[in-house]
Amino acid sequence: MLWEGVVDEEVRALWERWMAEADKLLEDEELIDLVYKAQGERHEHSTTRGRSQTPAEMALRLLLLRHVRNWSFDTLEREVKMNLAYRDFTRIGLGKVPDAKTLARIAQALGGEVIAKLHERLVAMAQEKGAVRGRKMRVDTTVVETNIHYPTDSSMLGDGVRVMTRTMKKIAQRSEGKLKRKVRDRMRSVNKRVMAIATASRHRGP
């Protein structure tokens, strides 16, 4: 009762602008249901046996806060415990904040498939409100580790010339001889110059 009275009103005034906007979106029942179902599917009897799971609404808001702040789960636990505004935003109030291990398990339970569905629902909501037209959507791509050479200025210059030469050869091939000038491959000279720069950079002195 104390939190819902004076404390709640005073803390709400400390919210950041994005928190107020996100609060409206996170009231959506479909978003909450997606998180609730994902938590319930961790084990066969997750919803009927054992300790009660973290409320889906609370879990969704905690994970959003972590994403916005780019925090670890340990930092998320600590910051929410100390900050009344975060407690209010995540609907924890004066209750117990889930520990870092619990938060990590919740995030693992959601997985990529559920996150994708959450994004789809948010895009649909934005379309319904006229915030976006939905014709294009930007996504983050996965970076795959591979072996590359150390990116020095001279080597990147050589790579640039190599790519441009390859591109011009493709253009010349598709143009069927209609270019006014023949494309000359100068990679041999460029490679020699790159090697000369690399060798010279290893020696000290003027």
Side-chain angles (χ1 to χ4, degrees), residues 71-99:
W71 286 336
S72 66
F73 290 111
D74 289 319
T75 303
L76 176 63
E77 177 189 355
R78 184 181 67 250
E79 292 294 330
V80 175
K81 282 182 176 179
M82 297 188 301
N83 192 301
L84 292 178
Y86 293 155
R87 281 178 169 273
D88 191 34
F89 173 73
T90 56
R91 302 293 172 85
I92 293 176
L94 296 175
K96 182 180 179 181
V97 178
D99 59 47

Side-chain angles (χ1 to χ4, degrees), residues 119-135:
H119 288 170
E120 289 175 4
R121 176 55 187 160
L122 287 172
V123 171
M125 292 170 63
Q127 288 179 307
E128 292 171 5
K129 296 179 181 296
V132 295
R133 296 181 180 179
R135 292 183 300 195

Side-chain angles (χ1 to χ4, degrees), residues 46-84:
S46 291
T47 58
T48 57
R49 297 182 184 176
R51 293 181 300 177
S52 58
Q53 65 183 24
T54 303
E57 183 180 25
M58 184 188 301
L60 179 61
R61 289 167 178 265
L62 283 165
L63 294 178
L64 174 64
L65 179 61
R66 174 179 180 266
H67 175 74
V68 171
R69 294 299 189 220
N70 194 27
W71 286 336
S72 66
F73 290 111
D74 289 319
T75 303
L76 176 63
E77 177 189 355
R78 184 181 67 250
E79 292 294 330
V80 175
K81 282 182 176 179
M82 297 188 301
N83 192 301
L84 292 178

Side-chain angles (χ1 to χ4, degrees), residues 29-45:
E29 291 294 334
E30 287 190 36
L31 292 175
I32 298 172
D33 286 343
L34 285 169
V35 177
Y36 177 79
K37 291 178 181 179
Q39 290 189 89
E41 292 174 355
R42 285 184 292 179
H43 302 290
E44 184 179 357
H45 303 290

Side-chain angles (χ1 to χ4, degrees), residues 90-201:
T90 56
R91 302 293 172 85
I92 293 176
L94 296 175
K96 182 180 179 181
V97 178
D99 59 47
K101 291 183 179 179
T102 300
L103 293 169
R105 285 196 292 268
I106 294 173
Q108 186 178 13
L110 297 186
E113 185 177 346
V114 177
I115 296 298
K117 290 180 180 179
L118 291 173
H119 288 170
E120 289 175 4
R121 176 55 187 160
L122 287 172
V123 171
M125 292 170 63
Q127 288 179 307
E128 292 171 5
K129 296 179 181 296
V132 295
R133 296 181 180 179
R135 292 183 300 195
K136 294 182 180 180
M137 182 176 180
R138 186 181 68 182
V139 298
D140 291 332
T141 56
T142 301
V143 178
V144 180
E145 183 179 359
T146 186
N147 294 324
I148 63 172
H149 61 75
Y150 187 80
T152 61
D153 290 342
S154 57
S155 65
M156 287 193 292
L157 178 62
D159 290 342
V161 175
R162 175 173 51 80
V163 173
M164 286 191 292
T165 301
R166 183 178 62 199
T167 303
M168 288 304 301
K169 285 183 177 180
K170 289 181 180 179
I171 293 174
Q173 184 178 5
R174 294 185 180 182
S175 66
E176 298 178 351
K178 295 180 181 180
L179 295 180
K180 293 183 178 180
R181 294 184 180 181
K182 184 179 179 180
V183 177
R184 297 182 61 182
D185 188 343
R186 300 185 181 274
M187 282 307 302
R188 186 175 180 181
S189 299
V190 170
N191 287 334
K192 287 183 178 179
R193 187 56 57 87
V194 170
M195 290 298 296
I197 295 173
T199 302
S201 64

Side-chain angles (χ1 to χ4, degrees), residues 5-40:
V6 179
V7 176
D8 184 34
E9 294 180 1
E10 292 184 354
V11 170
R12 188 62 59 92
L14 301 176
W15 280 24
E16 298 175 43
R17 183 175 179 180
W18 72 267
M19 295 169 68
E21 295 296 328
D23 183 64
K24 300 174 185 177
L25 295 174
L26 297 177
E27 296 283 354
D28 183 70
E29 291 294 334
E30 287 190 36
L31 292 175
I32 298 172
D33 286 343
L34 285 169
V35 177
Y36 177 79
K37 291 178 181 179
Q39 290 189 89

